Amino acid sequence: MAVETYLIFNGNCREAVSFYEKVFDTNKSDFTTFGESPQDPNYPMPEEAKNLVMHTRLSIFGSRVMFSDTFPGSPFTVGNNVTLAVISNDEAKLRQAFEGLKEGGAVKMELQETFWSKCYGSLVDKFGVEWQFSHEV
């Protein structure tokens, strides 16, 4: 199990990641855009979201740092654009930690299967810290 940093940007994620690649002399990133994700016909993808970065990651001094743009219309505040991501191949421990942190907090997305994870969810704990949980095998 690992806890990793997830940085959220307001439409300039590609620029930021390119900058960090140079600064830290690290690998070139593969980007997944919101437009590349499976579409739900009940919720059409806004045109302005299609080319925004949904996910990418860099290895910086041995630590995985993940990045994305915020989805159009989602709140964005510089300083609050960092989340902690709990990544685990132990689904039971992942669920236990999620249940513990949601006490007194606010669930943004209940744990559920997504196209990238068997079990993914997010919440803000009672101290205002945002957490993402993802089951990875």
Side-chain angles (χ1 to χ4, degrees), residues 5-13 53-54 66-71 74-83 130 132:
T5 305
Y6 210 113
L7 302 175
I8 313 297
F9 294 86
N10 197 19
N12 60 343
C13 183
V53 175
M54 185 177 130
M66 298 176 287
F67 305 83
S68 76
D69 281 312
T70 190
F71 196 80
S74 298
F76 179 85
T77 304
V78 172
N80 291 341
N81 56 326
V82 177
T83 66
E130 188 167 338
Q132 297 182 61

Side-chain angles (χ1 to χ4, degrees), residues 2-6 57 63-66 83-87 136:
V3 175
E4 299 172 352
T5 305
Y6 210 113
R57 67 181 94 191
S63 293
R64 185 163 65 170
V65 180
M66 298 176 287
T83 66
L84 297 176
V86 178
I87 312 296
E136 289 187 5

Side-chain angles (χ1 to χ4, degrees), residues 1-2 85-101 111-112 117-121 123 132-136:
M1 191 178 309
V86 178
I87 312 296
S88 178
N89 62 2
D90 186 331
E91 187 175 344
K93 284 186 179 179
L94 193 88
R95 288 184 179 279
Q96 180 182 10
F98 187 90
E99 291 300 315
L101 284 176
L111 290 173
Q112 59 191 272
S117 175
K118 179 181 169 190
C119 182
Y120 175 86
L123 59 81
Q132 297 182 61
F133 291 79
S134 187
H135 181 268
E136 289 187 5

